[in-house]
Amino acid sequence: MIVISKQQIVEQIHQDWLQQPQSQICIAIFDYLICSNFQNLSHITYGSLRKVVGKSYDNRDLLTAVQYLCGDRTHLLEAKFELIDNDNYFEISDDEMTEARETGQLLHPETGKLIRNFEDKVFIYFQPSSVVKNLA
Amino acid sequence: MLTAQILEAFSQRISWSTMRVILKICDLPVRRGWEQTIQKLTDEESVRDDISDKIEQLKKCYDNHLLVNDKALKIYQLERKNIDKLIAAFKKYKPENTAFHQTYPFPLSDDNLKEVDFSQKLVEIRDTKDSLVAIFCTKRLFIERSQIDTEELNEDTRKDLAGYDKIIGVKEHYRQFFDVVVLSKQRNNIEVRVDITGSLSSEDKSKAFFQTIQQFNNLSENIAIVKTPLQESINFFPLIDNLYESDEGKVVELAFITDEGSTKSEKMRKGSVDLRTETYHYAGKQAVEHITSYRLAISWNIKICQRINSQPELLLPGRAQILSNQTQYLDEVYILNCSSLDDYEFVVEKIFDYLE
């Protein structure tokens, strides 16, 4: 595993986004990840990231920044999926999600039954990635 | 007779505590509960000449009450010229006579309501200083669930049901609902207020919004030649944090998540302290970097007279899923427990103050 430093990450973000708002958004999220206990950040939603970055950035900028942080360039965030069914939460593994997207069908993790319109019931959340956990 | 009719109509729509506030506003006597108060006022109505003005005021409160309590609200922003065009056209329009007009503004009797179909009818266009209001009446099926007292059942039935801890009865009956569209003369918006008296189910509420919006859009096109004025309603979601972080009113309910994966729902009893400062909540909030809220109820205490306060409430009824969406959007709020137009307007003003 390659261990990189906080400084390298910050430089990478600035280099990729220059003066664009995504630069500040990514840094704000990165600061939040490294200033918190990882154990306490197991379920970060879009709503929570909005609180972290504040109200001054528009949604499109936040979205592109989050996509970037999940991507290979920095990979600071790990995207996870969950099924929300009648206020109950079920984790969906990456493999299950990939299969569901390929086949258009998702099986309920508990009942084993097919879920109609699963795209409306499956939501994304985020966790700090191994890159963040192993920062120098 | 009129007093009894007004109070009977009120009793189908509001709590006794709100009724007490309204009676105090009208300077009318209050006895213990609905029955005794109706009796007292009916007696006074027949012997006292000086009470008629107060009863007229009570009737006015009832007329106003139909516009404000309890309502789910969506707000649409429009250009001033379009609202003015709609106001001018609706002002001239006379609603057709319908079965609801037999007793309007009072509800139809249960027997008469049974004979009415489920379509929504425009019953009144009310022109006031601040707005033009279109009032619609609709019959809807209302489902009531209540626990059956097994002591009231016969011996054999009680034996048959011995294995059950609770027996729940489901009663379906029809109710008359008053949905309202308000075209503001001051603000550049139109409010759609759906009647949710008696806790309409979420599905029925959505249907009621759909019905009212569609009905108003059709009327607008037909009588004002303004096509689909109600399209995208405003997003109330930012109000949740803005109100929570303010010192406005008293937070009585909050639901939120933490980034550790928990979902919390907290509710204060009536008369308790503000949830923001409640010991358990306050300490929990200090222990995390932030909480992410998705549902909030806030109430205000408005003094009417000595020992009588009105307590209008604003509920932002979000669900946890909103936070998992890429954009947080909440397109409706509930305004509850209003005892007057002033209460309602007070809450709407707060909405606009804190959305900015």
Side-chain angles (χ1 to χ4, degrees):
Chain A
M1 179 176 293
I2 304 164
V3 177
I4 48 177
S5 72
K6 292 172 192 172
Q7 190 54 37
Q8 280 174 294
I9 301 260
V10 171
E11 281 167 13
Q12 176 82 67
I13 291 169
H14 282 313
Q15 191 186 321
D16 289 341
W17 291 105
L18 304 170
Q19 298 303 313
Q20 295 181 73
Q22 283 87 343
S23 208
Q24 288 162 317
I25 295 172
C26 290
I27 298 294
I29 294 173
F30 180 49
D31 282 346
Y32 177 61
L33 298 177
I34 59 174
C35 291
S36 310
N37 183 341
F38 306 134
Q39 308 296 324
N40 300 344
L41 298 182
S42 54
H43 194 279
I44 307 171
T45 58
Y46 275 115
S48 174
L49 291 174
R50 164 57 67 194
K51 289 207 77 159
V52 169
V53 303
K55 296 170 188 164
S56 38
Y57 303 102
D58 79 25
N59 267 321
R60 271 174 303 180
D61 292 339
L62 175 60
L63 276 181
T64 48
V66 172
Q67 279 164 1
Y68 167 81
L69 293 174
C70 290
D72 291 340
R73 292 290 286 178
T74 56
H75 194 204
L76 299 181
L77 287 174
E78 192 80 57
K80 311 287 277 181
F81 298 93
E82 66 181 344
L83 168 73
I84 305 181
D85 185 24
N86 288 330
D87 289 335
N88 292 313
Y89 301 82
F90 303 93
E91 195 179 331
I92 305 289
S93 69
D94 292 350
D95 290 345
E96 283 171 315
M97 202 58 212
T98 308
E99 195 182 330
R101 281 180 174 151
E102 281 169 7
T103 60
Q105 295 183 331
L106 177 71
L107 289 181
H108 194 293
E110 208 157 89
T111 64
K113 290 182 180 164
L114 277 180
I115 301 163
R116 283 168 166 260
N117 305 324
F118 75 89
E119 299 279 10
D120 297 339
K121 294 178 181 171
V122 173
F123 295 90
I124 194 169
Y125 64 96
F126 307 95
Q127 291 177 345
S129 69
S130 54
V131 175
V132 177
K133 292 175 184 168
N134 293 300
L135 277 175
Chain B
M1 185 56 207
L2 177 63
T3 321
Q5 195 177 18
I6 301 170
L7 284 181
E8 291 286 356
F10 261 128
S11 71
Q12 292 176 28
R13 302 186 50 82
I14 56 170
S15 67
W16 173 240
S17 59
T18 308
M19 189 67 241
R20 287 177 70 228
V21 175
I22 294 170
L23 289 166
K24 284 283 176 190
I25 290 171
C26 299
D27 194 24
L28 284 163
V30 180
R31 291 293 176 267
R32 290 191 70 219
W34 291 100
E35 217 169 288
Q36 287 188 18
T37 304
I38 290 172
Q39 188 59 54
K40 170 74 180 168
L41 288 174
T42 309
D43 292 347
E44 295 218 355
E45 193 180 10
S46 56
V47 295
R48 281 177 55 189
D49 291 337
D50 63 337
I51 205 167
S52 60
D53 285 352
K54 293 176 184 175
I55 290 171
E56 199 49 49
Q57 196 188 346
L58 185 66
K59 163 73 170 46
K60 202 173 165 192
C61 285
Y62 175 77
D63 290 341
N64 290 340
H65 160 87
L66 294 179
L67 310 184
V68 298
N69 206 38
D70 285 339
K71 302 294 183 196
L73 167 71
K74 288 182 195 276
I75 299 179
Y76 298 80
Q77 285 182 316
L78 268 84
E79 282 184 38
R80 187 69 251 162
K81 64 174 184 187
N82 281 338
I83 299 177
D84 288 341
K85 195 173 171 188
L86 287 165
I87 288 176
F90 272 89
K91 241 187 212 179
K92 289 184 212 151
Y93 186 74
K94 192 174 177 330
E96 288 170 18
N97 209 28
T98 70
F100 293 112
H101 286 97
Q102 291 169 47
T103 52
Y104 183 80
F106 302 111
L108 289 172
S109 66
D110 288 350
D111 285 344
N112 285 340
L113 194 60
K114 270 185 201 157
E115 306 303 319
V116 176
D117 65 33
F118 289 97
S119 64
Q120 192 177 46
K121 305 284 186 213
L122 177 67
V123 289
E124 186 188 348
I125 290 170
R126 199 181 292 178
D127 190 13
T128 71
K129 185 168 78 60
D130 299 323
S131 58
L132 187 106
V133 185
I135 304 169
F136 299 88
C137 280
T138 318
K139 169 174 125 176
R140 294 190 182 113
L141 190 63
F142 189 76
I143 298 170
E144 202 174 274
R145 288 168 199 278
S146 52
Q147 193 171 339
I148 307 290
D149 183 1
T150 48
E151 292 302 313
E152 288 177 6
L153 303 174
N154 67 38
E155 187 78 31
D156 289 345
T157 314
R158 277 213 302 270
K159 270 185 195 164
D160 289 344
L161 299 171
Y164 295 91
D165 296 325
K166 272 184 193 174
I167 309 297
I168 305 293
V170 177
K171 192 177 164 190
E172 291 186 341
H173 55 102
Y174 298 119
R175 282 256 311 269
Q176 184 174 336
F177 288 80
F178 298 80
D179 305 317
V180 176
V181 178
V182 180
L183 295 86
S184 176
K185 292 180 183 175
Q186 319 292 337
R187 292 186 286 257
N188 293 342
N189 65 54
I190 296 181
E191 289 179 44
V192 177
R193 305 175 187 171
V194 157
D195 190 355
I196 52 167
T197 307
S199 301
L200 206 60
S201 75
S202 171
E203 196 185 348
D204 288 340
K205 182 173 47 56
S206 299
K207 277 188 203 161
F209 266 122
F210 179 77
Q211 202 174 25
T212 311
I213 291 162
Q214 196 180 41
Q215 179 85 333
F216 184 80
N217 278 339
N218 287 344
L219 276 169
S220 299
E221 191 163 356
N222 292 340
I223 69 174
I225 321 168
V226 174
K227 205 174 175 189
T228 332
L230 306 181
Q231 289 188 31
E232 196 179 342
S233 58
I234 65 170
N235 181 10
F236 294 108
F237 190 82
L239 271 179
I240 296 176
D241 272 351
N242 292 353
L243 282 167
Y244 177 79
E245 282 154 19
S246 74
D247 54 4
E248 192 64 61
K250 189 160 92 171
V251 173
V252 292
E253 187 181 341
L254 185 76
F256 58 93
I257 62 166
T258 69
D259 284 353
E260 218 170 337
S262 74
T263 302
K264 304 265 192 287
S265 184
E266 301 176 352
K267 200 168 181 175
M268 299 303 294
R269 284 192 173 80
K270 206 175 174 187
S272 311
V273 296
D274 189 329
L275 180 59
R276 298 175 183 110
T277 54
E278 184 254 354
T279 313
Y280 181 87
H281 175 80
Y282 184 78
K285 189 164 176 273
Q286 297 304 306
V288 291
E289 204 271 344
H290 66 261
I291 58 172
T292 314
S293 307
Y294 59 88
R295 179 184 170 97
L296 173 134
I298 184 166
S299 77
W300 289 268
N301 209 17
I302 300 172
K303 190 168 181 179
I304 304 292
C305 59
Q306 204 178 1
R307 287 193 298 167
I308 295 284
N309 294 322
S310 178
Q311 292 179 321
E313 185 175 313
L314 171 67
L315 169 65
L316 295 133
R319 304 189 68 194
Q321 285 96 315
I322 293 179
L323 301 175
S324 300
N325 291 332
Q326 292 177 350
T327 306
Q328 286 71 55
Y329 186 73
L330 178 66
D331 65 350
E332 66 185 47
V333 296
Y334 302 166
I335 298 182
L336 310 164
N337 299 338
C338 291
S339 53
S340 65
L341 283 181
D342 288 345
D343 279 0
Y344 191 91
E345 189 51 35
F346 173 87
V347 177
V348 172
E349 285 286 342
K350 295 294 178 195
I351 289 175
F352 285 108
D353 288 350
Y354 283 92
L355 267 180
E356 279 166 5

